[in-house]
Amino acid sequence: MQAALRRRFGGARWALRVPEGAPRPRCLGPGSAPAPRCWSCGSRLPGAEGLPHFCPGCRALQPPAPRPDLFRLMDCERSFRVDAQQLQRRFRSLQRALHPDRFGRRPPKEQHYSQQHSSLINKAYQTLLNPLSRGLYLLELSGVEPAQETDCDADSAFLMEIMEINEKLAEPKNEDILEEIETLIKVKQEELTKEVTAAFERDDLQEAKKLLAKMKYFSNLEDKLKNKKIPS
């Protein structure tokens, strides 16, 4: 049968010919996306999504990912516990490699990407270094909306304490009182940080959300205190 068909059609190969110079289609698995390629030379880029990297072909700096995981970017475990010294070492290492000053003679697009990377690294460092912003970012990654001041269900004793501190800050400047408030805020923040750590470690995100709302109150008081201490 096959021999008869070959004789009938003269052994012709029924294959579609791709025009010269036309891009060849690539087979993609279900739900897969085309492999990223270098903006400069078109080389295929390796994995490591979200991490700053250079093209293996032309060594051009690639743009940052749209929504990178800041923990992964800073080489940290996704946890409320963070090694501050390790975080600082990673920050300095990335800034040395990606600071805009190193790209002054590179193409404008690469200079722009360097500025974007530098800004993102600063944001990641500040976010993960501060316990409050780190906790809120963990909630965001878990899809939990942070508590709003209008719907905060903090206990009345806590709200009364915040009100009293606000009233003291509204009084005429007194260095002794300001020092007393500064010490109180520091102690409260340390206590809350320990409680938030425990809440995250037992995966109690709702409790972490409530505690972070309290930390936010004290953070606002801290800002007011700093403004109060500025010489007028």
Side-chain angles (χ1 to χ4, degrees):
M1 181 69 173
Q2 291 179 349
L5 288 172
R6 281 197 295 270
R7 286 195 301 271
R8 181 177 178 183
F9 294 104
R13 294 184 179 180
W14 292 88
L16 292 175
R17 294 185 179 275
V18 179
E20 191 73 23
R24 295 183 177 274
R26 293 193 300 272
C27 294
L28 302 176
S32 62
R37 292 185 175 273
C38 174
W39 61 268
S40 179
C41 71
S43 296
R44 189 185 298 269
L45 299 174
E49 181 183 351
L51 297 180
H53 57 275
F54 296 83
C55 172
C58 67
R59 301 303 301 162
L61 178 64
Q62 302 304 301
R67 291 179 60 84
D69 184 325
L70 301 186
F71 284 98
R72 188 179 183 194
L73 174 63
M74 302 307 290
D75 198 22
C76 297
E77 291 185 11
R78 189 181 285 191
S79 166
F80 188 71
R81 289 185 183 272
V82 167
D83 186 328
Q85 291 185 339
Q86 177 186 337
L87 181 65
Q88 187 178 62
R89 286 194 296 270
R90 174 67 170 174
F91 169 73
R92 289 176 175 173
S93 174
L94 288 174
Q95 284 291 31
R96 279 196 301 269
L98 300 165
H99 195 276
D101 288 349
R102 293 177 59 89
F103 295 83
R105 297 185 178 181
R106 302 295 293 175
K109 181 176 284 191
E110 201 166 354
Q111 293 179 28
H112 177 62
Y113 291 154
S114 171
Q115 292 169 358
Q116 288 183 321
H117 277 293
S118 184
S119 176
L120 176 61
I121 292 164
N122 281 322
K123 174 189 173 184
Y125 178 68
Q126 296 299 331
T127 298
L128 300 188
L129 184 65
N130 181 274
L132 174 59
S133 57
R134 183 169 69 244
L136 293 174
Y137 181 58
L138 276 171
L139 289 183
E140 178 187 334
L141 291 176
S142 300
V144 178
E145 291 287 335
Q148 304 297 323
E149 290 188 10
T150 53
D151 60 10
C152 181
D153 58 353
D155 58 88
S156 57
F158 171 79
L159 294 176
M160 184 63 68
E161 181 180 25
I162 297 297
M163 188 181 302
E164 290 175 356
I165 297 174
N166 268 314
E167 289 174 352
K168 287 183 179 180
L169 286 172
E171 294 174 359
K173 190 173 181 179
N174 182 303
E175 293 297 336
D176 291 336
I177 292 178
L178 293 182
E179 185 175 342
E180 177 186 326
I181 293 173
E182 185 175 19
T183 301
L184 174 63
I185 291 175
K186 182 178 179 181
V187 170
K188 291 292 184 179
Q189 290 286 53
E190 288 176 352
E191 291 175 354
L192 285 168
T193 298
K194 291 178 181 178
E195 293 179 37
V196 173
T197 302
F200 274 117
E201 289 185 347
R202 62 175 183 267
D203 202 27
D204 190 344
L205 300 183
Q206 291 305 314
E207 180 64 16
K209 174 179 175 177
K210 294 177 183 178
L211 293 168
L212 288 167
K214 290 185 176 183
M215 287 185 74
K216 179 66 175 175
Y217 274 101
F218 279 109
S219 179
N220 290 338
L221 289 174
E222 197 170 19
D223 291 339
K224 291 180 181 179
L225 177 63
K226 288 177 182 178
N227 291 332
K228 187 80 173 182
K229 294 175 74 173
I230 295 175
S232 53

